[in-house]
Amino acid sequence: MTATLFSPNTLLLDKHADYIAAYGSKKDDYEYTLSEYLRMSGIYWGLTVMDLMGQLSRMNREEIIEFIKSCQHDCGGISASTGHDPHLLYTLSAVQILSLYDSINVIDVDKVVDPFHTLFGVAGLSLLGDEQIKPVNPVFCMPEDVLQRIGLQPDLLN
Amino acid sequence: MHGRVKVKSTAQQEEEKRKEREKKLKAFVSARDAVLRKRSAGEHDEEALQLTQQLLSSNPDFATLWNYRREVLLQLETSREKDEVQKLYESELHFIEACLKVNPKSYGCWHHRSWVNTRLPQPDWTRELGLCDRCLSLDERNFHCWDYRRVVVKESGVSVEQELQFTDRLIGSNFSNYSSWHYRSTLLPQLHPQPAPDSASNTSPSPTASPQIHSHRVCEEQLLKEYELAHNAFFTDPNDQSAWFYYRWLLGRAEREEMISCVYVSRERERVSVAFSKPVHAQSEGLMLVLDGQPQQVEWRSTHPRLRHSPVWLCDLPPGSVSDISNEHNLTVHWTEKYTHRDCALYTGCAESWCRDSATDQELFRSELSVEKSSVLQAELQSCNQLLELEPQNKWCLLTIILLMRALDPLGHEKETLAHFQTLKEVDPMRSSYYSDLCSKFLIENTILKMEYAEVRVFSLSNKNLTTLCHLDQLLLVTHINLSSNQLLRLPPQFAMLQCLEVLEADDNAIESLEGLYHLPKLEEVSLRNNQICKLSDLESLASCTKLTRLDLRGNPVHKTANIDSELSQLLPLVTALSL
């Protein structure tokens, strides 16, 4: 991409902010509807830019928070939009939005972060031979080198 | 995909378009609502397949629909015979291909296709490979397709040779093929691995190292052929970066041996400073300090709170353990995680001691491209210089020549290197900051080498257009540093690694931040004339340098601060000679 003679060389911040503020209201827009599968991320991208421009207050905080609440599923994961399946990408976007709004507790935080599943997931990858993860002891679910260092060995029950 | 192409049209055409889009939208929304309703009702039938097909055909990124489709297909499998299942999934593959035409980079499509192959009673890997060929011919850099290809190759047992020939074909028809060159770099070490090196010198090999698995290097015979291939490419089209990046990979990057590069002991402060070959987190490295044969209980700390991973760490010895100057002591620092250690003897009558590997001996600054013999590097330098004669403004060529010269003889080629950097900034002004920083790095490296050669602890690099500081971990022993008349903006936290620093001259820069002047135990004199120190708070960290007595701040905006004289004498009561 090369700059042409007529490209502006300053950021037209007000215009950018106006565009984003108006974007969410285009509910009868074809592209808007088709991009529903990434709505949560789209909201995040818009909000974070508005925040950078100091214009976050122009966005509808209450509506967005209600929307996020409606997107959390029983498993704890969050979907891109109501009725869609939960996914890591949109869970992250939702958490990012709630951080911007300092409202992380409107969702079930404990369910979003399941430390046992995360730990088991990583251990599982290691046991399956993922080279980028340290060898993990399948009994203790901890890295082998840590166990060696602290001298922990499983005792077989008689 | 994300935007709309603007097309001039009459008001009537606009209206027609609007009506059409409204119709399309309505159809989409009703189908979407119907599908989501069926899903929540748990219906897994033909209608679900039809609806999802309709929606995915125009919107293949709607991931939830692929999930639903899989649920339906699994359900249908249970009521079908094997040959029907085969047909079911074969038609699914046709459908996916149609969706791929809409968006060849749809995560959902490629993932679903992989999944279908796991359900097919008889997958057809030849067809799948053919699909990859076709997709790549349309877009050589479609990483979804490359990933999928790797899966197909693995499942169907296509040989590495065959895949290498595939890259030959792609590169042969079009040199500008970054993905193919990259793929080649992963295939070559499998087909022509570099034989395992002789056992290492002073350290025992790490138990996890395995040359067969972890070496990504290629044997010399094949490398020479690859150099020719790269030459052909960049002589044909010197502006295409793919071949240049591949070439740099060929020239190699040596793995630096993990070790303790310096141990410094100060009797007066009863402190040990340790420099490692890479940033570490001391508390996790199994460090052990042994003094005169006795392990010591010590706590390691970084030189600056912002540096939680750092190449330099400090610890205090038990009080009275080394303070008597008539005693000789032997100190060893063990890095148990890496099975290595370093000794340092503190002799009678000596206030300090150190043990350090020289950067020269370690060929520290040649590790950019150092795997090859210098005869090979010399030949490559010649080739590149030939190209430079034909293309004097080619930035890739210039940069590669600089790297080759540094690998061969950093000090000997210094003048030429600076001249090439000048040219680079002229021909590629958009990246002039990058070149300035890189040039600064190389000048710092050369100064370290010269300092070692002269066996002094004075580091002087003034009036050299320095834009950044680096390798500060190599300056642990430096007592005097002169960085005047450059373009530095800050003395970063890493500057706190200069634990032996006594005198700092950094006049005539643009320094705003002095974060790195933090708990420098020997720092006595600082000159920062004509910089950009604006606020009193910018000088706060100096209060931690308890030996500081002389400070020159003339020509800084901070002098305009109200009551600056009294504020400063409050902040820095120990400074007796203060110039504003």
Side-chain angles (χ1 to χ4, degrees):
Chain A
M1 279 200 304
T2 52
T4 69
L5 277 172
F6 305 106
S7 311
N9 54 12
T10 51
L11 279 177
L12 307 171
L13 290 177
D14 288 333
K15 292 203 167 186
H16 294 315
D18 290 343
Y19 178 86
I20 294 171
Y23 191 80
S25 60
K26 297 199 293 191
K27 300 219 162 49
D28 54 349
D29 181 276
Y30 186 62
E31 266 86 16
Y32 183 83
T33 310
L34 248 66
S35 62
E36 190 180 83
Y37 71 91
L38 53 66
R39 182 69 58 239
M40 194 62 74
S41 297
I43 293 174
Y44 168 69
W45 298 325
L47 289 183
T48 194
V49 170
M50 291 301 266
D51 190 37
L52 283 170
M53 294 189 287
Q55 304 214 31
L56 186 60
S57 53
R58 286 174 70 175
M59 308 305 284
N60 192 333
R61 181 173 184 272
E62 283 68 38
E63 190 184 327
I64 291 167
I65 288 180
E66 282 311 305
F67 175 68
I68 293 175
K69 278 155 77 167
S70 77
C71 288
Q72 185 169 35
H73 292 241
D74 287 336
C75 63
I78 295 169
S79 50
S81 183
T82 352
H84 291 235
D85 287 346
H87 193 286
L88 194 66
L89 289 174
Y90 310 115
T91 308
L92 175 64
S93 293
V95 168
Q96 286 171 308
I97 295 167
L98 293 174
S99 299
L100 276 175
Y101 279 142
D102 203 13
S103 305
I104 206 83
N105 288 303
V106 303
I107 52 169
D108 187 338
V109 172
D110 290 326
K111 273 198 165 164
V112 167
V113 181
D114 180 346
F116 293 108
H117 276 128
T118 311
L119 181 63
F120 286 149
V122 171
L125 284 172
S126 173
L127 293 169
L128 287 170
D130 190 308
E131 281 177 7
Q132 290 179 307
I133 300 180
K134 281 183 175 185
V136 169
N137 181 295
V139 173
F140 287 107
C141 226
M142 285 175 71
E144 291 282 11
D145 65 335
V146 172
L147 295 176
Q148 276 170 39
R149 192 166 60 220
I150 62 180
L152 195 61
Q153 268 183 331
D155 278 333
L156 283 176
L157 294 172
N158 290 36
Chain B
M1 199 177 35
H2 294 296
R4 240 167 301 169
V5 177
K6 276 198 176 152
V7 174
K8 285 207 180 93
S9 55
T10 65
Q12 189 192 23
Q13 285 174 321
E14 291 278 6
E15 181 58 21
E16 274 175 29
K17 277 207 174 92
R18 197 191 63 78
K19 282 217 170 104
E20 206 186 301
R21 296 179 89 83
E22 216 181 285
K23 214 172 109 187
K24 249 175 134 181
L25 181 65
K26 258 192 156 164
F28 183 86
V29 167
S30 78
R32 177 201 68 194
D33 290 344
V35 142
L36 293 181
R37 235 175 317 168
K38 280 183 83 69
R39 183 97 179 298
S40 8
E43 291 165 20
H44 294 119
D45 52 22
E46 288 283 353
E47 195 196 0
L49 282 184
Q50 278 159 32
L51 281 170
T52 52
Q53 178 166 335
Q54 182 190 336
L55 289 163
L56 286 167
S57 302
S58 57
N59 196 358
D61 293 311
F62 198 148
T64 302
L65 297 181
W66 289 115
N67 293 347
Y68 186 25
R69 214 172 157 79
R70 280 189 283 277
E71 287 164 15
V72 175
L73 288 166
L74 283 173
Q75 179 67 40
L76 292 175
E77 258 189 64
T78 60
S79 58
R80 305 267 166 106
E81 296 294 323
K82 206 171 173 190
D83 58 330
E84 285 175 319
V85 172
Q86 178 77 15
K87 285 208 191 78
L88 177 69
Y89 283 119
E90 277 177 357
S91 74
E92 192 69 2
L93 289 177
H94 282 297
F95 171 54
I96 297 169
E97 221 179 298
C99 292
L100 280 173
K101 289 202 172 83
V102 172
N103 181 9
K105 293 189 179 177
S106 167
Y107 286 93
C109 289
W110 289 104
H111 173 255
H112 192 66
R113 199 174 183 93
S114 293
W115 179 84
V116 166
N117 280 314
T118 66
R119 305 308 306 171
L120 262 173
Q122 276 151 0
D124 183 350
W125 297 115
T126 315
R127 173 190 51 209
E128 295 310 300
L129 209 60
L131 172 71
C132 290
D133 286 345
R134 272 180 291 130
C135 278
L136 289 176
S137 69
L138 292 167
D139 179 359
E140 287 153 354
R141 297 190 68 165
N142 186 338
F143 68 86
H144 300 269
C145 187
W146 280 106
D147 282 346
Y148 186 69
R149 192 191 177 88
R150 280 183 269 270
V151 167
V152 169
V153 161
K154 189 162 169 226
E155 291 298 325
S156 60
V158 173
S159 72
V160 180
E161 281 101 341
Q162 243 176 295
E163 284 301 276
L164 201 66
Q165 279 164 29
F166 176 66
T167 64
D168 279 331
R169 277 202 315 275
L170 285 180
I171 292 168
S173 64
N174 175 15
F175 282 129
S176 173
N177 198 327
Y178 193 92
S179 301
S180 306
W181 288 109
H182 176 264
Y183 193 39
R184 203 177 170 81
S185 77
T186 64
L187 298 169
L188 274 180
Q190 290 178 54
L191 208 52
H192 302 284
Q194 188 178 54
D198 295 325
S199 45
S201 44
N202 55 345
T203 59
S204 46
S206 159
T208 55
S210 165
Q212 287 330 90
I213 301 171
H214 293 277
S215 167
H216 301 291
R217 302 306 308 155
V218 176
C219 71
E220 188 174 329
E221 190 191 327
Q222 189 61 34
L223 269 180
L224 293 171
K225 289 188 198 150
E226 293 299 309
Y227 286 137
E228 260 209 66
L229 188 62
H231 289 173
N232 288 344
F234 58 67
F235 268 84
T236 307
D237 184 4
N239 290 312
D240 183 70
Q241 50 184 312
S242 317
W244 288 107
F245 277 108
Y246 185 70
Y247 185 57
R248 268 170 79 165
W249 175 79
L250 285 174
L251 289 166
R253 177 188 277 276
E255 286 285 338
R256 210 184 136 187
E257 199 186 330
E258 286 176 315
M259 58 191 294
I260 299 169
S261 36
C262 178
V263 173
Y264 171 82
V265 187
S266 160
R267 257 194 225 272
E268 185 194 354
R269 258 171 315 285
E270 303 198 273
R271 180 180 303 166
V272 180
S273 307
V274 182
F276 297 88
S277 55
K278 60 165 195 172
V280 299
H281 183 61
Q283 289 79 4
S284 321
E285 301 290 336
L287 295 182
M288 201 166 66
L289 187 78
V290 176
L291 180 65
D292 301 326
Q294 298 293 325
Q296 303 293 316
Q297 260 295 46
V298 292
E299 279 188 21
W300 296 95
R301 63 180 188 283
S302 177
T303 55
H304 192 286
R306 293 249 316 256
L307 303 174
R308 283 184 296 186
H309 273 81
S310 176
V312 175
W313 290 84
L314 313 171
C315 72
D316 295 317
L317 293 167
S321 50
V322 295
S323 48
D324 189 341
I325 204 161
S326 59
N327 289 339
E328 178 175 314
H329 297 284
N330 279 300
L331 196 93
T332 306
V333 180
H334 292 267
W335 187 3
T336 61
E337 286 284 316
K338 305 292 172 190
Y339 305 89
T340 184
H341 65 275
R342 174 141 252 143
D343 301 310
C344 184
L346 182 56
Y347 299 108
T348 309
C350 290
E352 58 179 6
S353 182
W354 63 83
C355 176
R356 179 176 179 267
D357 274 348
S358 77
T360 314
D361 291 340
Q362 280 180 66
E363 299 205 315
L364 195 64
F365 305 132
R366 297 186 183 194
S367 59
E368 178 72 33
L369 307 167
S370 70
V371 179
E372 305 315 318
K373 300 187 201 131
S374 62
S375 56
V376 172
L377 290 173
Q378 197 62 56
E380 292 308 311
L381 181 59
Q382 247 183 324
S383 296
C384 290
N385 274 320
Q386 275 168 16
L387 180 61
L388 193 65
E389 276 175 49
L390 302 166
E391 305 269 344
Q393 310 232 299
N394 184 285
K395 69 176 190 183
W396 301 108
C397 195
L398 285 161
L399 191 55
T400 308
I401 285 171
I402 289 172
L403 296 174
L404 282 164
M405 290 196 297
R406 289 206 69 69
L408 283 161
D409 183 2
L411 288 173
H413 287 295
E414 187 177 289
K415 254 204 173 125
E416 249 181 290
T417 302
L418 290 174
H420 284 327
F421 267 116
Q422 195 47 46
T423 316
L424 269 172
K425 286 191 244 191
E426 285 160 24
V427 307
D428 189 14
M430 262 179 75
R431 286 166 199 87
S432 59
S433 293
Y434 169 74
Y435 298 129
S436 294
D437 283 356
L438 192 61
C439 188
S440 300
K441 180 176 164 208
F442 292 158
L443 283 170
I444 290 172
E445 290 174 1
N446 282 7
T447 307
I448 291 172
L449 293 172
K450 288 178 201 167
M451 190 175 68
E452 281 181 357
Y453 190 70
E455 293 184 347
V456 295
R457 293 166 72 181
V458 171
F459 185 93
S460 186
L461 200 54
S462 60
N463 202 15
K464 287 283 191 296
N465 295 313
L466 279 188
T467 50
T468 190
L469 293 172
C470 58
H471 295 310
L472 292 170
D473 55 304
Q474 295 289 319
L475 305 183
L476 173 57
L477 301 176
V478 166
T479 57
H480 288 65
I481 189 165
N482 185 352
L483 298 167
S484 302
S485 305
N486 281 300
Q487 290 150 44
L488 297 171
L489 297 174
R490 62 187 68 89
L491 299 180
Q494 286 81 357
F495 206 85
M497 296 193 281
L498 274 65
Q499 289 287 302
C500 297
L501 193 65
E502 296 167 21
V503 175
L504 165 65
E505 287 176 73
D507 305 320
D508 300 293
N509 278 282
I511 295 171
E512 307 167 330
S513 162
L514 303 173
E515 271 185 289
L517 297 184
Y518 180 83
H519 284 283
L520 292 177
K522 288 176 137 186
L523 188 63
E524 291 173 22
E525 189 177 324
V526 170
S527 184
L528 284 162
R529 286 197 312 242
N530 306 319
N531 275 289
Q532 290 299 317
I533 295 158
C534 298
K535 313 186 293 288
L536 188 69
S537 54
D538 294 336
L539 297 161
E540 262 164 16
S541 56
L542 285 173
S544 64
C545 301
T546 52
K547 271 207 165 165
L548 185 67
T549 53
R550 307 179 70 81
L551 177 63
D552 193 341
L553 291 171
R554 283 175 286 181
N556 280 284
V558 74
H559 77 82
K560 293 186 225 140
T561 309
N563 304 319
I564 185 63
D565 290 285
S566 60
E567 296 280 358
L568 269 176
S569 44
Q570 262 194 314
L571 178 67
L572 307 169
L574 302 169
V575 173
T576 52
L578 181 70
S579 310
L580 264 174

